[in-house]
Amino acid sequence: MISVSEQDYIKAVYRLEQQFGNVNTTALAAELNVTAASASGMLKKLSQANLVSHHHYRGARLTEKGRNVALDVIRRHRIIELFLVEILRLGWDEVHKEAEVLEHAVSDKVLAGMDRLLGRPTRDPHGSPIPSSDGYLARQATVRLDEMEVGSSGVVAEITEDNADLLQYLSRLRLVPGTRIAVCQVSPIDAMITIACGQTEMNVSPKVASAIRVSLRKRSNKK
């Protein structure tokens, strides 16, 4: 039986691995707000259980067994978030912390019922893909808003940060998954990005833009 703490570590390793590849102890400790000694001890324990492959100088990566555990926890988390938003009508800025608790407590039977009630969803409230029950995670080609070129356009696909203040701010701007946007200009002074949403233009800071992933609209070759 994998403990709650072990599941949290496995999910954190997965998240860091997606960003950086091999995961070092310092980064893992910072991600979970624990000491380096605690992170090192847990990695050793997970390695002994064949959940991570850990080499002192090369860092840690999940084994296939560990990745399956991570995707199962992520699936639970994202279905629960969507259930809380769609069925219980909580705000998308409220559900992350609730799901962090419930993902460890909800039974497989209840989770399957949530999934069925929601119509077998593929995305959570923030646009993140929901792994299938057999561990398949669909990928969508997206780019960060702060990496888009002037003149390019697309649809907001995913918000990658769970900070409640940021999510509230994006709600007020209506920069939510499904919103069509176009990059009008980027300031050469402070890198502030001017975007258009329909007939409305707004400025978005680089920090905020880095949390927004966009599915680009293909440009026409017609002249």
Side-chain angles (χ1 to χ4, degrees):
M1 184 72 175
I2 300 173
S3 70
V4 169
S5 178
E6 290 168 342
Q7 290 179 23
D8 286 340
Y9 268 91
I10 291 168
K11 188 168 68 169
V13 171
Y14 178 87
R15 188 162 51 241
L16 292 170
E17 187 179 307
Q18 299 307 299
Q19 298 179 60
F20 308 114
N22 290 351
V23 180
N24 63 49
T25 302
T26 302
L28 183 59
E31 178 77 6
L32 291 170
N33 195 28
V34 298
T35 65
S38 294
S40 180
M42 180 58 81
L43 284 177
K44 183 177 180 180
K45 183 177 182 181
L46 295 176
S47 179
Q48 292 171 344
N50 192 32
L51 292 164
V52 303
S53 174
H54 183 220
H55 302 281
H56 184 65
Y57 295 106
R58 286 185 291 170
R61 293 186 73 91
L62 293 174
T63 61
E64 182 178 356
K65 180 181 177 182
R67 189 167 289 104
N68 288 338
V69 171
L71 289 172
D72 178 65
V73 177
I74 291 169
R75 172 177 167 80
R76 290 170 171 276
H77 184 98
R78 293 177 179 175
I79 288 176
I80 291 168
E81 282 193 335
L82 190 61
F83 182 87
L84 293 175
V85 169
E86 294 292 328
I87 306 301
L88 298 189
R89 302 301 182 187
L90 298 184
W92 76 331
D93 56 296
E94 301 176 279
V95 295
H96 177 71
K97 289 184 177 179
E98 299 293 339
E100 286 282 285
V101 176
L102 293 172
E103 68 190 29
H104 304 295
V106 169
S107 69
D108 291 343
K109 183 176 182 179
V110 170
L111 188 77
M114 289 179 174
D115 185 44
R116 185 169 58 253
L117 182 62
L118 291 166
R120 314 292 186 195
T122 58
R123 297 268 164 180
D124 75 3
H126 312 105
S128 300
I130 298 173
S132 67
S133 57
D134 59 0
Y136 174 72
L137 183 63
R139 299 291 185 182
Q140 182 178 6
T142 60
V143 63
R144 283 183 359 196
L145 174 54
D146 61 326
E147 297 172 336
M148 290 175 63
E149 298 178 355
V150 173
S152 61
S153 62
V155 177
V156 175
E158 180 181 3
I159 309 302
T160 58
E161 296 290 335
D162 52 47
N163 179 277
D165 291 335
L166 173 64
L167 293 173
Q168 291 170 11
Y169 176 68
L170 293 177
S171 289
R172 291 195 295 270
L173 295 181
R174 297 186 179 179
L175 280 177
V176 298
T179 301
R180 293 187 175 275
I181 64 171
V183 176
C184 301
Q185 65 180 26
V186 179
S187 169
I189 307 300
D190 56 9
M192 190 70 74
I193 303 166
T194 302
I195 64 172
C197 298
Q199 301 300 312
T200 303
E201 287 193 359
M202 64 187 74
N203 293 323
V204 178
S205 72
K207 183 177 180 180
V208 170
S210 69
I212 301 172
R213 297 200 68 89
V214 178
S215 176
L216 293 179
R217 179 181 180 182
K218 293 183 179 179
R219 297 187 182 184
S220 173
N221 293 322
K222 294 180 181 180
K223 295 184 179 180

